[in-house]
Amino acid sequence: MSFALGIFATLSIVVGMAFLLVKAVSSTRDRVSRFFCLLAVCIPFNFAIDCVNVRAFGYHKMSWTGNVLLGVLLAALVIFLPPRPHNPNAP
């Protein structure tokens, strides 16, 4: 039962993170502000996923260093995506 709840919780966290990234980060045009916004979003979500992994699956906890490095890596990868246009009718 905890395995199924762990999978559900992890998927819920990932969907929530994707929603926040689409709404908050895609509207920023500056790469530096996009990087720091992503960093501020990724680090807490990494801790949340880590907490679910520890409680449901028995994985070891990731340290602060690991979470910050993972957040920086994800933020660095996503800043190279082009910003979304503000016009909803644009392709």
Side-chain angles (χ1 to χ4, degrees), residues 5-47:
L5 288 175
I7 291 174
F8 178 73
T10 302
L11 289 176
S12 300
I13 292 169
V14 170
V15 168
M17 183 176 172
F19 178 75
L20 283 177
L21 291 177
V22 166
K23 293 295 181 186
V25 177
S26 64
S27 63
T28 58
R29 298 204 180 264
D30 184 17
R31 288 184 192 252
V32 175
S33 62
R34 187 186 302 178
F35 176 79
F36 285 113
C37 185
L38 278 167
L39 193 62
V41 169
C42 287
I43 291 174
F45 276 104
N46 285 339
F47 276 112

